[in-house]
Amino acid sequence: MGSAVQSAPGWKLFGKVPPRENLQKDSKIIQQEYEARTGRMYKPPPPSTRRKNIEFEPLSTTALILEDRPANLPAKSVEEALRHRQEYDEMVAEAKKREIKEAHKRKKIMRERFKQEENIASAMVIWVNEILPNWEGMRATRRVRELWWQGLPPSVRGKVWSLAVGNELNITPELYEIFLSRAKERWKSFSETTSENDIEDAGASVADREASLELIKLDISRTFPSLYIFQKGGPYHDLLHSVLGAYTCYRPDVGYVQGMSFIAAVLILNLEEADAFIAFANLLNKPCQLAFFRVDHSMMLKYFAAFEVFFEENLPKLFLHFKSYSLTPDIYLIDWIFTLYSKSLPLDLACRVWDVFCRDGEEFLFRTGLGILRLYEDILLQMDFIHIAQFLTKLPEDITSEKLFSCIAAIQMQNSNKKWAQVFASLMKDNKEGDKNHSPALKS
C-alpha cells in the first residue's frame, strides 16, 4: 500500500475505506474510454445561448432577497425591494431571538449543573462527617430522611446501601471466597464442548440449581450492553461473573435467575467485590425479592393485588382503562421488580430509586411503579393493550429524575387509613383463612 494511503488520517482506526490513487481522470480520457467501449462518438451539447451574469452569484437565500435581479430580467420595483429588505430584517431578528434563547437555555443548564454539583458536595460533607459516624442514631431522623430522598452522593452511595440493606445473613468476605472457589471448580467440571442450547436445557432440567452457573455466561453480555464494561474483555466482566457464580453456590435453592445480573452489576459499580456480594445476597433474601426470584406464584399474586389497591386509589381513570383491556400488573411489574428498575430506567435514575428503596424497603418499588404510571398517564390513556405493554416494557430514554420523583412524591401509599405493610398483611391473612376453609382436614 502506498505511503499516501498509509498517511490518510484515521482510516484504519475508524474502518474507513482508504482513498484510491488517481481517483480523478481527465475528461478526454473518460471520453476516449467510452467511445472505445461503445463504438459511438460523443457529441458535446451545444453551448447555452442564455447569457450568464457572472457577477450574480447568490450565496444564500438571504442574497436572493437582497440582491438585484440579473441584467436580463426586469429590475425590482421600489415596493418589492423594500418588502425584501423588511423580510430580511425580520429573518435576522428571528435568528437573533433564537440565538439568545439558546444561549439562555445553555446558561440555565450550566447553572443547574453547578447547583447540583454544589448540593452533592455539601451533602457529601454532611454524610461523611455527621451521618455515617452516627448511623444508628441518625438514620431515621427527619433531616436525614429528607436528605436521603434527594439522592445519595455517589461517593457514599455504596456505604449507605450496605448499611441500609444490612447483613442479617452474617456473610463474611472469607465465606464469599469459599463459595467463589466452589463456583470456579464447578466451571471447570463443565464440558468445554457443551453448546449454549445444551446449557440452557441443562439449567432448566437439572435438579441441582448450581447447574445454572453456565447460564450466567449467557446473561452477562446482556447486562448494560451500552456500557461495554461487563462484556467479555471488559474491566467488570470477570467480577460480575464471580459474584453471580458465588451466589448460585451459596443459594443453590434459588440458583441464577435472569435479572440478577443487573442487580449485581449496580452493586459492583458502587462497592468492592466482597461487599457487593454481601449486599447482593442480603438484598435477594428480602421477602419481596425472594418471592420473585424463587417464582413463588402465590406470594407474587399478593404483591400484585396490593399494588392494584394503591393503583386504584391513586390513578382511578388509568386503573379502569387497564381493567378494560384486562392488562394485569404482572405484564410490566415483573421486569421492573426483577431488576429493581436498573434495566428499565437510565442508570443514574435507577441508582436514585435504589437510594430510597434502601431507605423505605419494598414499598418504594411499588410506589415507583405507580410514579411511572402517573408520569405517563395521559399517554397511556390513549393506548390499547399492545401499545401499553410495549411502552411499559421499554420506557422513554428521556425520563428525568425531577419529573419522576415529583410523580412518586404525589403517590399516596395509604388506603382506608392502611399503609402498604398493613394492606399486604391483610391480603396474606385472607389467603391463610381461605386455605383453612378449603383444608381437607376441616371438611372431614
Side-chain angles (χ1 to χ4, degrees):
M1 188 178 288
S3 61
V5 175
Q6 290 283 5
S7 62
W11 74 267
K12 274 187 178 179
L13 183 62
F14 298 103
K16 295 177 180 176
V17 178
R20 296 179 183 176
E21 294 180 12
N22 303 324
L23 199 60
Q24 294 182 340
K25 291 183 180 180
D26 187 85
S27 58
K28 288 183 180 178
I29 296 172
I30 295 171
Q31 180 182 333
Q32 289 168 5
E33 289 177 355
Y34 171 79
E35 290 172 356
R37 282 199 310 273
T38 63
R40 297 177 184 176
M41 291 293 288
Y42 173 74
K43 293 181 181 180
S48 174
T49 55
R50 183 176 175 177
R51 183 170 63 84
K52 285 187 178 179
N53 182 358
I54 303 301
E55 293 178 358
F56 180 71
E57 291 185 2
L59 300 177
S60 67
T61 53
T62 305
L64 283 170
I65 292 173
L66 295 180
E67 290 284 348
D68 291 331
R69 290 203 180 104
N72 61 322
L73 295 175
K76 292 179 183 179
S77 66
V78 176
E79 292 82 4
E80 190 176 9
L82 286 171
R83 191 175 76 250
H84 284 178
R85 167 57 67 179
Q86 186 180 353
E87 288 173 358
Y88 172 70
D89 291 341
E90 287 173 0
M91 286 168 60
V92 171
E94 193 63 36
K96 283 182 179 177
K97 277 184 189 176
R98 283 199 302 269
E99 191 177 334
I100 291 168
K101 191 176 179 181
E102 286 297 319
H104 283 311
K105 189 177 178 182
R106 285 194 296 271
K107 282 182 181 178
K108 186 181 178 183
I109 291 169
M110 289 302 293
R111 280 198 304 269
E112 287 174 354
R113 189 174 295 168
F114 286 136
K115 186 179 178 182
Q116 188 179 17
E117 287 173 0
E118 286 176 0
N119 289 341
I120 289 171
S122 60
M124 184 189 71
V125 172
I126 296 169
W127 279 100
V128 171
N129 295 336
E130 297 179 38
I131 301 170
L132 290 175
N134 305 291
W135 175 251
E136 290 303 330
M138 292 190 68
R139 64 179 295 179
T141 62
R142 184 174 180 178
R143 180 191 175 210
V144 170
R145 287 181 65 82
E146 287 176 355
L147 193 63
W148 205 331
W149 173 268
Q150 294 165 16
L152 298 169
S155 58
V156 300
R157 178 167 269 152
K159 180 66 176 174
V160 175
W161 286 359
S162 288
L163 288 169
V165 171
N167 187 10
E168 291 181 358
L169 298 172
N170 295 317
I171 301 171
T172 61
E174 291 76 21
L175 190 64
Y176 167 64
E177 291 297 333
I178 290 168
F179 285 108
L180 178 57
S181 298
R182 187 178 296 177
K184 288 177 178 177
E185 287 173 11
R186 292 298 302 268
W187 285 324
K188 286 180 184 177
S189 71
F190 280 100
S191 171
E192 293 180 3
T193 58
T194 306
S195 70
E196 290 190 357
N197 289 334
D198 292 339
I199 291 166
E200 287 185 345
D201 292 341
S205 60
V206 175
D208 181 5
R209 286 294 210 94
E210 289 186 14
S212 62
L213 281 170
E214 284 297 313
L215 292 175
I216 295 168
K217 290 182 181 178
L218 306 177
D219 227 24
I220 287 178
S221 62
R222 304 167 190 156
T223 307
F224 297 120
S226 60
L227 295 181
Y228 300 109
I229 56 176
F230 295 106
Q231 318 310 305
K232 195 165 187 179
Y236 290 102
H237 174 273
D238 293 344
L239 195 58
L240 181 56
H241 199 196
S242 296
V243 169
L244 294 171
Y247 181 77
T248 58
C249 289
Y250 172 68
R251 290 297 300 265
D253 59 316
V254 179
Y256 176 76
V257 181
Q258 279 191 333
M260 284 183 179
S261 62
F262 280 87
I263 296 176
V266 173
L267 291 168
I268 285 167
L269 290 173
N270 290 278
L271 290 160
E272 295 298 323
E273 183 176 350
D275 293 330
F277 175 79
I278 293 167
F280 181 71
N282 279 279
L283 194 57
L284 265 56
N285 198 52
K286 304 292 182 186
C288 180
Q289 277 60 55
L290 207 55
F292 276 78
F293 282 113
R294 294 183 78 169
V295 196
D296 184 336
H297 292 290
S298 176
M299 283 290 287
M300 288 168 73
L301 287 172
K302 298 294 173 296
Y303 280 108
F304 294 147
F307 174 81
E308 288 205 294
V309 168
F310 294 96
F311 186 0
E312 185 175 16
E313 181 78 23
N314 285 275
L315 305 164
K317 282 175 67 178
L318 190 62
F319 176 81
L320 290 173
H321 184 63
F322 278 29
K323 278 288 182 186
S324 70
Y325 285 112
S326 300
L327 199 148
T328 50
D330 56 294
I331 291 168
Y332 51 93
L333 265 185
I334 284 179
D335 197 43
W336 293 353
I337 302 298
F338 263 120
T339 62
L340 302 180
Y341 295 95
S342 56
K343 184 182 175 185
S344 311
L345 297 175
L347 184 56
D348 59 337
L349 180 49
C351 284
R352 190 173 167 191
V353 169
W354 278 47
D355 291 344
V356 188
F357 162 60
C358 288
R359 187 194 79 172
D360 293 354
E362 64 184 39
E363 174 187 321
F364 190 71
L365 295 178
F366 298 94
R367 191 180 179 191
T368 299
L370 292 171
I372 292 170
L373 296 181
R374 183 185 178 92
L375 179 60
Y376 295 111
E377 181 177 15
D378 292 341
I379 298 170
L380 293 168
L381 283 169
Q382 307 303 317
M383 293 181 177
D384 58 17
F385 180 97
I386 296 294
H387 290 95
I388 292 170
Q390 289 175 340
F391 183 89
L392 296 178
T393 300
K394 186 169 176 58
L395 295 169
E397 293 179 3
D398 62 352
I399 186 169
T400 64
S401 180
E402 291 73 22
K403 286 181 181 176
L404 177 59
F405 269 76
S406 70
C407 287
I408 293 171
I411 297 296
Q412 298 298 315
M413 297 302 282
Q414 195 159 318
N415 175 266
S416 302
N417 295 322
K418 287 184 179 180
K419 294 184 178 180
W420 169 269
Q422 294 169 313
V423 169
F424 187 77
S426 65
L427 287 166
M428 291 294 293
K429 185 181 177 183
D430 292 343
N431 184 57
K432 286 178 182 176
E433 288 177 356
D435 290 343
K436 284 180 182 178
N437 292 334
H438 290 91
S439 168
L442 287 173
K443 284 183 181 180
S444 60

